[in-house]
Amino acid sequence: MTVDAHKETLEFKAEVSQVLDLVIRSLYSNKEIFLRELVSNASDAAEKLRFEALTDEQLFEDDPELRVRVLVDKDAGTVTVSDNGIGLGRQEVIDTIGSIASSGTRRFLEAMSAGGEGGEQAVDNALIGQFGVGFYSAFIVADKVTLISRRAGLTSEHGVRWESDGRGSFTLENIDKPARGTDVILHLKDDEKEFLDPWRLRSIIGKFSDHIAIPVEMQKEDYGDEEKAEDAAEDKGPEFEQVNRGTALWMRSKSDLSEDDYKEFYKHISHDFDEPLAWAHNRVEGTNEYTALLYVPKRAPWDLWDRDQKHGVKLYVRRVFIMDEADKLMPHYLRFVKGVVDSDDLPLNVSREILQHNRKIDTIRGANVKRVLGLLESMAKDEPAKYKEFWQEFGRVLKEGPAEDYANRERIGGLLRFATTASDSNEQAVSLDEYIERMKEGQDKIYYITADSPAAARHSPHLEVFRKKGVEVLLLSDRVDEWLVSNLHELKGKHLQSVTKGALDLGELEDKEEKEKVEQAAKEHGDLLKRLQDSLGERVREVRASTRLVDSPACIVVGEHDMSANLARVLKSVGQEAPDMKPILELNLDHPMVRRLESETDETRFDDLGMILFDQAQLAEGGQLDDPAAFVARLNKLMLGMFMSGA
């Protein structure tokens, strides 16, 4: 029987007819991926041949050097991806390419698992991918695809030619093919001729397939005399060169790598001119096998705070690049981390562009977080100067951690740094552990204040009693700090307490005599407190005597469970609604201004003085007045009266 007698036209199986149009037009978001898929399939075929040849060396025939070649024919308008791997027989072509739901490699793995005895075989199986729907990505850029293949071990007349325009049917015929392996020939669409540029293809291979173990070759470019180059090609035939690196640095042993190797690789994957600040490299084996190489950069990227910009590590599966921003493998508060995660088996969607969520992802993500936090903890302990660099660049990002990662909030809390009243510097350099070590005897809380700026926090009247008693207070002025303290409630059994909320509770630090004195004064001056509360009306919830103030006449306080005034201002500044809360006005009954107010008999003047006192307390907290013009008018009126009276 002749070869031509074996030619036939077949319809795709039902599932292919239904899904093929989706694959071509919708499944892949980036048309460059067609080359990644075809090179990956070719690499898989080579790995399968290597595996089967362990028990049958004759499968190598006379060509033991495995490789993948990408060829361009500009005249014909074709791109060919060729391999000398295991190849396909006629029935394998029908079963594998004729049905998306069928995977030749999957059946191969199942067969090997059933017949294998474990050990080394299991390791080799992990290298082998799947010949599945990725083949059909060729139709993204091609209006016709030709596949020519011969399985290793069969004679040349058992070659197979498959061809289709992707519209529901394909032709299949036997041909003579001397060399084993598979050639996939893409007849490019008229609007996809950009892929006839060899440098375009080289860049795609470098991006997606740079680290696969099988050499990927292209015809060597000669930039000298073109006529001489053509003559040489005719004499010797085309000369090929490897265009992928062929080795994945992260897969190598740490003992084989130098610091320079790590630094150069960081620059390669991050496009950062600076060297990394630190890195962690490890291999995890067991039921969930993967390798991770994670870097902490020295400088924050310009788009670190861009809400729409995606961040994350690069994801590889068996050294084949899958996606650039695998954010499911790293939480958002660690978005500054760069690096690579290479898994032997991760659940991807059918296009291999989207990471599916499952327990393996959670396991890798959790381990990545612990690894990065451990790296930062070691840096903070052993290299404080380097950690200071890190904090200046990424401290505000790390403060998002307790809200996002409840399980690790204590570890994250230990890495945080703050400015405090213990020094005049606004540098965030004090850890919570250092604060706890310096706590006064009898102190059981970590006190903090939030404000719009370091100066507003440092000079707040709420801190007066703390300065008097020598109690250190954290000064929080980053916008993220409000989110931080609403999620980090305690550390090492010490509760975080705002000095601007509720009644002041100093615990054992409180002077009972002073407290009794204030309570007695509140009774003695009860008429003033009620009179001022009536004057301010709906503007305040309560007017009461203060145990916080030493030098200032008044301050604004919110309820223990109310939103802080600073958080309300932050929300309003970004266009969010904040609840209208009535503040509490606390008075320093020993202050001359308060005594002067108490002695005022003119009700109109009393109201003006009370409003000035209330407005000043709001301004001292960084607040904005509802009616600044009225405040200025009252202040001018008061000053004019003083001038007229000669005071």
Side-chain angles (χ1 to χ4, degrees):
M1 186 175 290
T2 64
V3 168
D4 289 339
H6 290 80
K7 184 175 182 179
E8 57 184 326
T9 299
L10 302 173
E11 296 293 323
F12 282 115
K13 290 187 179 179
E15 65 270 21
V16 178
S17 298
Q18 295 170 1
V19 176
L20 186 56
D21 186 65
L22 175 65
V23 171
I24 297 171
R25 293 175 174 80
S26 305
L27 190 58
Y28 293 94
S29 62
N30 181 359
K31 60 186 179 183
E32 292 180 346
I33 287 175
F34 83 91
L35 190 57
R36 178 194 75 181
E37 294 296 309
L38 296 180
V39 170
S40 295
N41 285 343
S43 173
D44 294 342
E47 292 288 3
K48 283 200 275 188
L49 175 61
R50 180 179 290 163
F51 180 83
E52 291 193 16
L54 291 175
T55 55
D56 185 3
E57 291 186 0
Q58 297 301 317
L59 293 176
F60 279 129
E61 300 174 4
D62 296 325
D63 186 13
E65 299 297 326
L66 300 176
R67 45 96 187 118
V68 178
R69 283 180 177 168
V70 179
L71 307 164
V72 175
D73 188 335
K74 294 183 179 179
D75 295 333
T78 62
V79 172
T80 300
V81 178
S82 174
D83 69 73
N84 60 348
I86 192 66
L88 298 168
R90 183 186 181 94
Q91 191 60 43
E92 286 179 303
V93 171
I94 296 173
D95 294 342
T96 304
I97 305 179
S99 172
I100 286 180
S102 176
S103 168
T105 303
R106 178 171 295 172
R107 291 197 306 274
F108 169 81
L109 285 173
E110 290 173 353
M112 291 302 103
S113 297
E117 298 179 358
E120 183 177 344
Q121 178 168 293
V123 175
D124 287 334
N125 284 350
L127 300 174
I128 302 169
Q130 294 183 9
F131 189 95
V133 296
F135 170 79
Y136 292 97
S137 65
F139 287 102
I140 298 173
V141 296
D143 52 21
K144 183 173 70 172
V145 176
T146 303
L147 179 143
I148 299 172
S149 187
R150 175 173 70 81
R151 205 181 200 284
L154 298 179
T155 53
S156 62
E157 66 269 18
H158 288 89
V160 182
R161 178 188 178 93
W162 177 100
E163 191 167 85
S164 176
D165 59 6
R167 297 179 182 175
S169 66
F170 59 89
T171 63
L172 191 67
E173 63 178 313
N174 282 16
I175 62 170
D176 188 77
K177 188 177 189 302
R180 70 165 191 273
T182 303
D183 304 329
V184 180
I185 305 168
L186 282 64
H187 304 264
L188 298 180
K189 300 174 183 177
D190 290 338
D191 56 352
E192 303 294 352
K193 299 300 185 183
E194 63 178 287
F195 295 108
L196 293 175
D197 181 359
W199 282 106
R200 180 85 164 89
L201 300 180
R202 285 170 181 257
S203 67
I204 297 172
I205 292 169
K207 178 180 180 181
F208 290 104
S209 307
D210 200 35
H211 303 290
I212 64 173
I214 303 299
V216 181
E217 300 177 349
M218 289 188 67
Q219 191 168 340
K220 191 172 184 179
E221 300 287 332
D222 195 320
Y223 299 100
D225 190 318
E226 293 186 5
E227 292 185 4
K228 291 183 178 179
E230 291 177 2
D231 293 339
E234 291 178 2
D235 294 338
K236 303 178 185 177
E239 186 178 354
F240 292 90
E241 62 181 350
Q242 184 172 337
V243 295
N244 68 322
R245 295 190 180 192
T247 58
L249 177 138
W250 61 85
M251 299 299 291
R252 294 163 58 186
S253 171
K254 289 189 285 187
S255 60
D256 296 335
L257 298 171
S258 66
E259 285 197 4
D260 289 340
D261 290 330
Y262 282 114
K263 292 174 182 177
E264 285 303 314
F265 183 71
Y266 167 76
K267 293 178 181 179
H268 170 70
I269 63 170
S270 68
H271 308 292
D272 189 351
F273 293 106
D274 288 321
E275 295 180 350
L277 201 61
W279 60 84
H281 182 196
N282 73 298
R283 169 75 180 171
V284 176
E285 297 181 346
T287 55
N288 191 13
E289 296 189 359
Y290 66 92
T291 299
L293 174 52
L294 306 174
Y295 291 91
V296 175
K298 185 175 290 186
R299 298 281 179 265
W302 63 272
D303 60 352
L304 185 64
W305 301 101
D306 186 347
R307 295 174 62 90
D308 297 326
Q309 178 63 36
K310 293 183 179 179
H311 300 272
V313 298
K314 294 178 183 291
L315 172 64
Y316 287 75
V317 174
R318 294 184 294 275
R319 290 166 291 186
V320 175
F321 177 71
I322 301 299
M323 65 181 68
D324 203 22
E325 295 159 337
D327 51 4
K328 290 182 175 62
L329 296 177
M330 192 67 69
H332 196 61
Y333 75 94
L334 295 178
R335 59 187 177 273
F336 53 84
V337 174
K338 304 293 184 183
V340 168
V341 171
D342 189 341
S343 173
D344 287 349
D345 182 24
L346 272 186
L348 303 171
N349 77 333
V350 72
S351 69
R352 297 205 288 185
E353 288 188 273
I354 303 172
L355 198 59
Q356 301 292 323
H357 182 81
N358 80 341
R359 188 173 295 178
K360 287 185 177 181
I361 302 300
D362 293 338
T363 300
I364 295 176
R365 177 189 173 104
N368 285 343
V369 170
K370 291 180 180 179
R371 198 158 294 113
V372 173
L373 294 181
L375 183 64
L376 295 177
E377 287 168 346
S378 297
M379 190 192 305
K381 179 181 178 181
D382 303 327
E383 302 175 283
K386 185 180 287 189
Y387 190 77
K388 179 180 177 181
E389 284 186 64
F390 162 80
W391 184 258
Q392 290 172 345
E393 294 291 322
F394 303 108
R396 286 183 297 162
V397 185
L398 198 62
K399 286 181 179 180
E400 299 173 11
E404 185 180 348
D405 189 355
Y406 184 81
N408 289 300
R409 68 191 185 283
E410 285 265 341
R411 293 187 69 179
I412 299 169
L415 291 167
L416 302 179
R417 299 292 183 267
F418 303 94
T420 77
T421 54
S423 72
D424 295 329
S425 172
N426 292 327
E427 179 186 353
Q428 297 180 10
V430 178
S431 70
L432 292 179
D433 286 339
E434 291 173 316
Y435 179 97
I436 292 172
E437 288 177 3
R438 297 201 293 249
M439 287 172 60
K440 296 182 70 67
E441 186 177 351
Q443 180 181 347
D444 61 352
K445 292 182 178 64
I446 299 172
Y447 294 102
Y448 69 88
I449 183 171
T450 58
D452 289 335
S453 67
R458 187 174 296 279
H459 301 124
S460 171
H462 291 92
L463 301 182
E464 291 175 0
V465 70
F466 292 92
R467 288 198 178 91
K468 179 180 178 181
K469 295 182 177 296
V471 177
E472 188 174 8
V473 179
L474 305 178
L475 306 175
L476 310 183
S477 56
D478 292 332
R479 283 194 170 191
V480 70
D481 285 333
E482 289 285 359
W483 196 22
L484 168 66
V485 295
S486 65
N487 290 278
L488 184 65
H489 303 294
E490 65 176 44
L491 188 78
K492 294 186 175 180
K494 305 296 182 182
H495 183 73
L496 272 72
Q497 176 66 50
S498 171
V499 302
T500 65
K501 286 187 174 185
L504 182 63
D505 180 12
L506 293 176
E508 296 182 16
L509 299 176
E510 194 166 56
D511 189 315
K512 293 183 179 179
E513 292 184 4
E514 288 185 3
K515 184 178 181 180
E516 291 174 358
K517 181 181 177 182
V518 171
E519 291 174 351
Q520 182 63 32
K523 293 179 181 178
E524 294 174 359
H525 300 277
D527 291 342
L528 168 64
L529 300 177
K530 184 178 185 306
R531 186 182 175 192
L532 183 55
Q533 184 164 346
D534 291 341
S535 175
L536 294 174
E538 293 298 314
R539 296 181 181 87
V540 297
R541 180 191 304 177
E542 180 186 358
V543 177
R544 68 189 184 197
S546 178
T547 57
R548 291 176 168 86
L549 301 174
V550 176
D551 301 315
S552 300
C555 69
I556 294 292
V557 178
V558 297
E560 180 68 32
H561 303 292
D562 288 346
M563 178 182 293
S564 71
N566 184 60
L567 178 55
R569 289 193 294 271
V570 170
L571 292 176
K572 290 178 181 178
S573 70
V574 295
Q576 300 292 322
E577 292 186 3
D580 291 327
M581 298 173 297
K582 294 181 181 180
I584 299 167
L585 180 65
E586 290 192 353
L587 298 181
N588 178 1
L589 296 175
D590 291 331
H591 197 278
M593 283 187 63
V594 177
R595 292 182 177 179
R596 173 67 183 83
L597 178 67
E598 187 175 25
S599 65
E600 182 58 58
T601 56
D602 186 309
E603 289 303 319
T604 300
R605 190 174 174 84
F606 179 88
D607 291 342
D608 287 343
L609 289 173
M611 277 300 301
I612 289 174
L613 203 63
F614 177 67
D615 288 343
Q616 284 182 334
Q618 286 186 296
L619 290 173
E621 292 303 306
Q624 292 184 340
L625 304 181
D626 293 333
D627 191 352
F631 169 73
V632 173
R634 294 188 192 98
L635 191 59
N636 288 343
K637 183 179 178 181
L638 175 63
M639 293 173 64
L640 183 60
M642 293 172 59
F643 295 150
M644 295 294 291
S645 65

